[in-house]
Amino acid sequence: QVQLQESGPGLVKSSETLPLTCTVSGGSISSYYWSWIRQPPGKGLEWIGYIYQSGSTNYNPSLKSRVTISVDTSKNQFSLKLSSVTAADTAVYYCARDRSYGDPEVGAFDIWGQGTMVTVSS
Amino acid sequence: DIQMTQSPSTLSASVGDRVTITCRASQSISSWLAWYQQKPGKAPKLLIYKASRLESGVPSRFSGSGSGTEFTLTISSLQPDDFATYYCQHYNRFTWTFGQGTKVEIK
């Protein structure tokens, strides 16, 4: 059974870079898109971006200038870096698996991590 | 960019009620739509994909319909475990966009 676990600092200073890692266990990181999604306190979900095992990425246009997602297939991990953070970046950050690669007919985020709260402090 | 708009934002209902949530896209998205349920402090859970396909393990009281720009999620008989927030989500291989959410609360 595939499981995802986010890890990283719970507190990041304003203007610095937010680093998070998602570890995939119970299965391979191959053959799926892997996304980061965030949710500010009391608000809705926002897709940040995805990566494929090859390293190909796509980002939310609203965050593209500040986002980098990378993958380490040897560790079955993928990572997020969000630069120049402000208080507006305070949120729960989720990693999730999208199974649409190879068959868009079944596309959706079917497996999620538990989420990690990141607070940006001034 | 495609915008996804859900209505209502909040819905008050009783156990046993039939509940319908609407999701509208700013332009046609064919059937590329998923629905999720989220409970406080938890990650979202996939309910429906490709607009109307029930995810494995999801109770049959949940159903989805629609295509183009208008979609609905229906809960045929609301159960105590169903009080939660529901999100629609469009996907097109390049971007993924969520609706703002509909909270289903106890009447």
Side-chain angles (χ1 to χ4, degrees), chain A residues 39 58 98-99 105 109, chain B residues 36 38 50 55 91 94 96:
Chain A
Q39 185 171 37
N58 198 34
D98 177 15
R99 61 192 186 193
E105 295 288 316
F109 295 121
Chain B
Y36 300 84
Q38 187 181 33
K50 197 71 189 302
E55 177 70 357
Y91 54 97
F94 298 105
W96 283 249

Side-chain angles (χ1 to χ4, degrees), chain A residues 51-72:
Chain A
I51 192 163
Y52 183 62
Q53 63 176 53
S54 63
S56 64
T57 57
N58 198 34
Y59 303 136
N60 186 325
S62 68
L63 297 168
K64 187 175 183 177
S65 63
R66 299 194 291 130
V67 173
T68 302
I69 299 177
S70 58
V71 65
D72 187 336

Side-chain angles (χ1 to χ4, degrees), chain B residues 2 5 9 27 32-33 43 45 47 54 73-75 94 100:
Chain B
I2 296 175
T5 303
S9 296
Q27 63 190 74
W32 304 116
L33 188 95
K45 173 188 173 183
L47 300 175
L54 192 68
L73 173 70
T74 299
I75 308 172
F94 298 105
Q100 82 277 19

Side-chain angles (χ1 to χ4, degrees), chain B residues 17-78:
Chain B
D17 285 352
R18 181 180 181 87
V19 167
T20 299
I21 299 169
T22 298
C23 178
R24 289 186 175 87
S26 58
Q27 63 190 74
S28 177
I29 59 170
S30 184
S31 297
W32 304 116
L33 188 95
W35 289 96
Y36 300 84
Q37 175 194 67
Q38 187 181 33
K39 296 181 179 180
K42 300 294 185 181
K45 173 188 173 183
L46 176 63
L47 300 175
I48 301 285
Y49 63 96
K50 197 71 189 302
S52 61
R53 300 182 184 180
L54 192 68
E55 177 70 357
S56 176
V58 174
S60 59
R61 64 181 180 271
F62 291 93
S63 64
S65 64
S67 66
T69 61
E70 188 155 332
F71 302 85
T72 58
L73 173 70
T74 299
I75 308 172
S76 60
S77 177
L78 196 66

